[in-house]
């Protein structure tokens, strides 16, 4: 297991559409281990493979509280197959857009189909924070960031801020 570098805005790779996983092999298992190691180190509650510059449809999540035992969850090739009309708002943040938080409105409930680490097809219907987090991470696999769900003015402002910060690092 290794802690990998999380790519950050304005890195163009965050806008890539990730490839489906065709076979769950040792490489995918190592990727999942690295994702968890990186996510826990950050610390965060969800991480998509594209955030460590691997364009594969793999998502890891753990919504347990710090004082609780870890409850790692893996979603391979996750896909939203149903959304509720009812919405909810959560303040979202992203490890690829550090220290920026904004309220985002999303469907309150979703049904997601995915493969588990054994390659078994699964479906899960979720609500609350889990629904928000899953939608956020699935968006990553499609090249969509949470800032795409906020006003253009706010989005432009945050993109400009991160572009400016990255130019300072390069200089």
């Amino acid at each position: 297991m290794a802690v990998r570098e999380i790519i950050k805005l304005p890195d163009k790779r965050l806008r890539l559409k990730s490839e489906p996983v065709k076979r769950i092999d040792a490489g995918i298992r190592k990727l999942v281990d690295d994702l968890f190691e990186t996510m826990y180190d950050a610390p965060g509650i969800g991480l998509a493979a594209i955030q460590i510059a691997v364009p594969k449809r793999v998502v890891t999540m753990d919504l347990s509280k710090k004082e609780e035992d870890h409850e790692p969850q893996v979603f391979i090739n996750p896909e939203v197959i149903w959304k509720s009309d009812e919405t909810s708002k959560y303040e979202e943040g992203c490890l690829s857009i550090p220290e920026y938080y904004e309220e985002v409105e999303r469907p309150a409930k979703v049904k997601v189909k995915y493969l588990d680490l054994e390659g078994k097809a699964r479906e899960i219907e979720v609500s609350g924070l889990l629904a928000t987090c899953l939608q956020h991470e699935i968006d990553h696999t499609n090249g969509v960031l949470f800032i795409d769900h906020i006003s253009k003015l706010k989005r432009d402002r945050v993109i400009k801020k991160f572009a400016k910060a990255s130019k300072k690092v390069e200089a």
Side-chain angles (χ1 to χ4, degrees), residues 4-171:
R4 308 265 288 268
E5 182 188 349
I6 296 172
I7 60 176
K8 299 189 173 48
L9 197 68
D11 195 310
K12 290 184 181 354
R13 292 173 292 180
L14 288 168
R15 295 302 190 172
L16 293 175
K17 200 167 166 57
S18 297
E19 296 291 317
V21 171
K22 298 201 183 349
R23 217 176 72 233
I24 298 169
D25 55 16
I28 293 297
R29 291 180 202 286
K30 178 171 182 353
L31 173 62
V32 166
D33 287 345
D34 288 355
L35 281 167
F36 276 119
E37 193 80 9
T38 305
M39 181 183 84
Y40 289 135
D41 181 69
I45 60 171
L47 193 64
I50 193 62
Q51 292 179 270
I52 59 168
V54 178
K56 293 273 183 214
R57 297 182 80 80
V58 178
V59 165
T60 57
M61 289 179 14
D62 188 340
L63 305 186
S64 62
K65 304 273 188 276
K66 282 189 178 99
E67 61 278 358
E68 298 172 352
D69 289 338
H70 287 311
E71 293 175 20
Q73 295 179 284
V74 178
F75 301 88
I76 298 170
N77 299 336
E79 188 183 330
V80 174
I81 55 173
W82 174 83
K83 301 174 187 179
S84 67
D85 291 332
E86 178 194 349
T87 60
S88 62
K89 286 184 180 179
Y90 275 95
E91 187 177 74
E92 292 186 32
C94 181
L95 296 173
S96 293
I97 310 173
E99 297 170 25
Y100 181 78
Y101 302 91
E102 197 63 60
E103 204 166 78
V104 176
E105 187 171 0
R106 296 183 184 267
K109 291 181 185 165
V110 290
K111 187 182 280 188
V112 173
K113 72 175 188 175
Y114 65 99
L115 299 176
D116 66 16
L117 211 44
E118 276 64 60
K120 190 172 176 198
R122 304 228 178 237
E123 272 186 21
I124 185 173
E125 190 173 317
V126 294
S127 60
L129 181 59
L130 183 55
T132 296
C133 194
L134 250 177
Q135 290 173 82
H136 176 114
E137 298 307 333
I138 291 170
D139 273 358
H140 273 300
T141 69
N142 294 314
V144 176
L145 301 174
F146 87 94
I147 58 172
D148 297 335
H149 296 284
I150 62 176
S151 74
K152 183 174 176 2
L153 180 69
K154 286 181 181 176
R155 182 172 54 252
D156 289 349
R157 204 177 298 144
V158 74
I159 289 170
K160 192 174 177 179
K161 175 184 164 192
F162 278 85
K164 196 173 169 183
S166 78
K167 281 189 175 67
K168 282 182 186 167
V169 171
E170 291 167 9

